[in-house]
Amino acid sequence: MHAPAQPCVAGSSAASAPAHREDVDWLRAIAVLAVIGFHFEAPAIFGGFVGVDIFFVISGYLITGIITAEIAKGQFSFANFYERRVRRLLPALYVMVAFAAIPAFWDMLSSERAELSRSAMAVVTFTSNIFFWQQSGYFDHAAVEKPLLHTWSLAVEEQFYLVLPVVIWSVLRIARGRRLALPITLLVLAAGSFALGLMLMRSGASASAFFLSPPRAWEFLLGSLVAVSGLPAPRPGAAQRTARGLALLLMAVPVLALRPGPGFPGLNALSPCLGAALFLWSGTGSVQAARSPLAPLSVLAFFGRISYSLYLWHWPVFAFARFAKPGLALDGWERAALFALTVAVATLSWRFVEQPFRSRRLAATSRAAFALAALASLALLAGSGAGLLRAGVVSDADRAAQRLDAYNNYDMKPVYRYGSCFTTPDGRIPEDCLRQMAGKTNVLLWGDSFAAHYYHGLKAQLDPDAVNIMQASQPTCMPTFSAETQGVAACRALASQMRDYLATARPDLVVMSADWLEDARPPRFQSMVHDLKSTLHRLHDAGIPVVLLGPSVQFRARLPSMLARATLRGVTPDPAAFVRSDVFALDAAMQAALPSGEGFSYVSILSAVCKGDHCPLTVGGVPLSFDHAHLTAEGSVHVMAKIVPQLLPGASEFSSIQQADDRAHQAGGEGARDD
């Protein structure tokens, strides 16, 4: 994603370009600020990534308007068009890529430096979207460790620029004055592109729909249709204000409410794109009003003007700032300072890199522009090749860091019983996972992934001849009978199944656990407690004892990544900097809010596992969790060794397992790395 071409361009054809529209700068600002808000984790900007889609619509609108205007006046030239693209896109982009390589030498693992070099090559060849498509998804955990990931949308736009001028020129040449030929062609292409995206989404290929140009083309073409539709703009006044208000609403709702994940783009991209198109149409022919440079709309327009450089710099600034933090997480004031730094750097880039090339103060002729672009491209390719060679030199610290970083790809499926007792297609749990056994103590583990990650530890700690462990767990599903409130089909199915199951079955103990930090996210704490109390009351009436496990240890970022960065720098990990402090407050609040009495016990994981708020980070050299909270097999065994005596005080063989665990603990290290 990047800020699209300005409507006023340098060169002999500038006179044929549409007049500058300040409202387009406002729309650019909305788009880029939404994206930055999402990436910088600003409050409530959950769907700010749709700013990319807004930019695509703007680009289609402006480029189509410029091309059709030049063709109508007989001034269009492919050479001039691509010269303007070179001047607009490459200087600021190449400067950003070159500077991003500098901190990579001490902030990144050798494997990450190699990937950075390969991604820089993809930038130069306009194939970033394909490069990142072949890797992890845009919303995956590894995305934040890819400083050039944001260039994927530049590649999509550049690929669109290779095709659109040819299409428009060919259609207008063949149509010979037929006014509807171009709008109909663009409409058909947009419909085909949108249908392709939906097909990819429904077939499970959401990454293809996200990264590749053909399923994204409809967003550009929607802007193109606004440019060639010839529809009269709404009259200034109430009609225009209504159209603008509706446009802002269509964009604001996904920015504030949409959540990242495999459901995007698809139908979820319609609202922001339609909003952007409506905003562009509603401003057609508007007269720019005179206002103070410090007026809010003037400030917004300024952000729009620097939006390309602002977008280019915000992501690598954020990524490398995270790398510099031991806990790989930035506080609110640090993110605010980074935003101010990004604006300053973007302003310098706009003033001293973008403007000189676009105004022809640098590379005054077409030949000079293309020659300089070619030389810069070759230099970046050569530098990237050298970076690949240098990345092959691996130090001992780097090897140790990579061993820890490898846990980011941890296979949790066999540990969590994925696909059977955890994460089933329809949300219902197979009978084998819920089958009670006569002559044994039947324990039901019920909840989401934060219940599933305890199964392995329970199994290791408890005597299988005496205890039968049953498991009913689904991602994001709180263990209550009123899971319908979560609005997830799988959770509704699981809640219904558990109501029916526990109406007749009588397990000796139900152990409930979930991601309470997420379930209690403000303002949901009271409703979470209400749902839990209701479920506990029904289980109490049925004579079923319950133990509720409090919040798990949660880290500020992915634990393997944090440990790897600390190892790379030779820094002793500090649990206080790694662990989220809010889990302790939530633990206390839940203990105070939930009833205590016969048949119900609240067990604090944090009190059992963490000493003085200092939680273990590794167990025998293995990270406690493979992400921000979900336990590894070793982590599960370690935690359950502390918890089982509170669940089943008489569990056989516990003492010997506890002693073995403690011996492994002492052998694996002390202090911050272990309990």
Side-chain angles (χ1 to χ4, degrees):
M1 183 277 299
H2 77 288
Q6 300 281 358
C8 294
V9 293
S12 60
S13 60
S16 63
H20 181 82
R21 284 177 51 179
E22 188 183 34
D23 64 330
V24 175
D25 286 334
W26 301 341
L27 191 57
R28 286 194 189 95
I30 291 170
V32 75
L33 292 176
V35 173
I36 294 176
F38 170 68
H39 284 156
F40 280 28
E41 301 167 356
I45 311 298
F46 302 112
F49 51 87
V50 303
V52 174
D53 307 82
I54 294 171
F55 267 125
F56 286 168
V57 176
I58 298 172
S59 289
Y61 172 79
L62 293 176
I63 295 303
T64 301
I66 291 171
I67 294 173
T68 54
E70 291 182 351
I71 290 176
K73 294 188 176 184
Q75 298 175 344
F76 177 74
S77 162
F78 284 103
N80 288 340
F81 175 82
Y82 290 115
E83 180 194 349
R84 292 196 299 267
R85 298 302 92 223
V86 165
R87 291 180 181 277
R88 174 64 170 135
L89 301 178
L90 298 192
L93 173 63
Y94 282 6
V95 169
M96 180 276 294
V97 172
F99 273 91
I102 297 174
F105 289 111
W106 60 83
D107 271 346
M108 303 185 79
L109 303 173
S110 60
S111 58
E112 293 170 334
R113 292 195 300 271
E115 183 175 275
L116 180 69
S117 296
R118 287 190 289 268
S119 63
M121 292 179 174
V123 169
V124 175
T125 55
F126 305 152
T127 57
S128 289
N129 61 325
I130 298 173
F131 176 80
F132 290 113
W133 167 59
Q134 294 173 332
Q135 312 214 344
S136 60
Y138 183 77
F139 301 115
D140 290 350
H141 78 269
V144 77
E145 296 170 7
K146 300 176 186 293
L148 298 182
L149 175 64
H150 63 318
T151 62
W152 73 269
S153 57
L154 279 173
V156 172
E157 196 151 343
E158 288 154 350
Q159 291 158 16
F160 181 74
Y161 291 157
L162 291 175
V163 177
L164 181 66
V166 177
V167 170
I168 294 176
W169 180 83
S170 301
V171 171
L172 292 180
R173 185 177 180 87
I174 295 171
R176 298 183 180 277
R178 297 182 182 89
R179 189 176 63 85
L180 294 179
L182 183 58
I184 291 174
T185 301
L186 297 177
L187 179 62
V188 171
L189 291 174
S193 170
F194 184 68
L196 174 61
L198 292 181
M199 290 172 57
L200 290 171
M201 298 287 291
R202 291 173 181 172
S203 64
S206 58
S208 299
F210 188 96
F211 281 111
L212 299 184
S213 297
R216 284 284 195 166
W218 69 270
E219 301 180 10
F220 296 91
L221 294 171
L222 187 59
S224 298
L225 286 168
V226 175
V228 301
S229 66
L231 294 174
R235 294 181 179 180
Q240 186 181 60
R241 288 194 297 270
T242 300
R244 281 279 167 86
L246 178 58
L248 291 173
L249 181 64
L250 287 170
M251 292 183 285
V253 168
V255 167
L256 299 176
L258 197 60
R259 295 300 194 272
F264 193 84
L267 292 173
N268 286 325
L270 269 177
S271 180
C273 290
L274 290 174
L278 180 59
F279 191 94
L280 291 168
W281 169 74
S282 64
T284 304
S286 296
V287 178
Q288 181 172 323
R291 59 177 60 87
S292 165
L294 297 179
L297 288 178
S298 296
V299 174
L300 193 65
F302 171 74
F303 280 114
R305 287 194 295 275
I306 68 169
S307 57
Y308 180 40
S309 285
L310 195 57
Y311 179 77
L312 285 178
W313 283 98
H314 87 280
W315 184 241
V317 165
F318 181 75
F320 285 114
R322 281 185 72 257
F323 290 157
K325 290 276 291 185
L328 290 184
L330 301 172
D331 298 327
W333 69 268
E334 291 172 324
R335 293 195 294 269
L338 277 182
F339 176 72
L341 174 63
T342 303
V343 172
V345 173
T347 302
L348 293 174
S349 173
W350 172 73
R351 175 68 178 82
F352 296 107
V353 180
E354 286 190 60
Q355 294 300 313
F357 281 97
R358 295 178 60 203
S359 65
R360 296 176 179 263
R361 294 198 302 272
L362 292 176
T365 65
S366 299
R367 178 174 294 180
F370 285 120
L372 187 59
L375 288 174
S377 298
L378 290 174
L380 274 182
L381 289 172
S384 299
L388 278 174
L389 293 176
R390 182 182 176 86
V393 180
V394 184
S395 65
D396 290 340
D398 195 80
R399 290 190 185 92
Q402 286 182 327
R403 283 194 293 271
L404 289 165
D405 187 67
Y407 283 95
N408 278 310
N409 298 316
Y410 187 79
D411 183 10
M412 45 72 71
K413 292 184 177 181
V415 180
Y416 287 44
R417 298 209 285 182
Y418 185 96
S420 57
C421 306
F422 171 63
T423 311
T424 56
D426 60 357
R428 296 184 63 83
I429 302 300
E431 292 182 4
D432 287 348
C433 300
L434 298 173
R435 182 171 290 115
Q436 299 192 57
M437 295 187 179
K440 295 184 180 182
T441 299
N442 290 288
V443 177
L444 171 63
L445 183 61
W446 179 21
D448 60 13
S449 57
F450 285 74
H453 73 172
Y454 292 134
Y455 173 79
H456 181 82
L458 280 175
K459 184 179 179 182
Q461 297 293 337
L462 298 174
D463 180 3
D465 294 329
V467 181
N468 171 45
I469 306 172
M470 302 174 289
Q471 180 183 347
S473 51
Q474 288 290 351
T476 75
C477 297
M478 193 165 66
T480 69
F481 295 133
S482 54
E484 290 87 346
T485 58
Q486 300 178 60
V488 179
C491 296
R492 291 195 295 270
L494 179 62
S496 175
Q497 182 182 15
M498 297 311 294
R499 277 196 301 268
D500 296 340
Y501 175 76
L502 291 171
T504 56
R506 290 293 182 270
D508 297 295
L509 178 67
V510 172
V511 178
M512 299 166 61
S513 181
D515 184 359
W516 306 120
L517 200 62
E518 176 63 29
D519 294 330
R521 186 186 296 274
R524 298 185 301 200
F525 178 79
Q526 292 301 330
S527 62
M528 178 193 78
V529 170
H530 177 270
D531 287 351
L532 285 173
K533 285 182 176 180
S534 175
T535 300
L536 293 173
H537 179 73
R538 292 181 61 174
L539 291 173
H540 178 269
D541 289 347
I544 301 174
V546 176
V547 170
L548 188 143
L549 302 181
S552 299
V553 180
Q554 294 214 24
F555 301 98
R556 290 165 62 91
R558 296 183 68 88
L559 179 59
S561 295
M562 292 192 291
L563 292 171
R565 301 291 167 194
T567 301
L568 190 63
R569 292 194 177 91
V571 175
T572 300
D574 179 10
F578 280 25
V579 178
R580 292 184 59 161
S581 60
D582 51 354
V583 295
F584 295 98
L586 176 62
D587 188 37
M590 290 182 66
Q591 289 190 69
L594 292 172
S596 59
E598 185 178 353
F600 172 74
S601 299
Y602 181 96
V603 174
S604 171
I605 298 289
L606 300 176
S607 297
V609 174
C610 304
K611 295 180 179 179
D613 294 353
H614 275 54
C615 305
L617 303 180
T618 63
V619 178
V622 176
L624 186 75
S625 67
F626 62 83
D627 58 7
H628 70 289
H630 294 98
L631 298 172
T632 57
E634 292 81 358
S636 182
V637 172
H638 175 73
V639 172
M640 285 295 100
K642 309 290 186 181
I643 298 301
V644 161
Q646 301 180 61
L647 299 180
L648 298 168
S652 62
E653 295 191 11
F654 171 75
S655 297
S656 61
I657 294 176
Q658 174 71 69
Q659 293 168 4
D661 182 70
D662 288 341
R663 287 195 299 271
H665 229 341
Q666 294 169 4
E670 59 183 28
R673 290 189 175 274
D674 283 314
D675 171 308

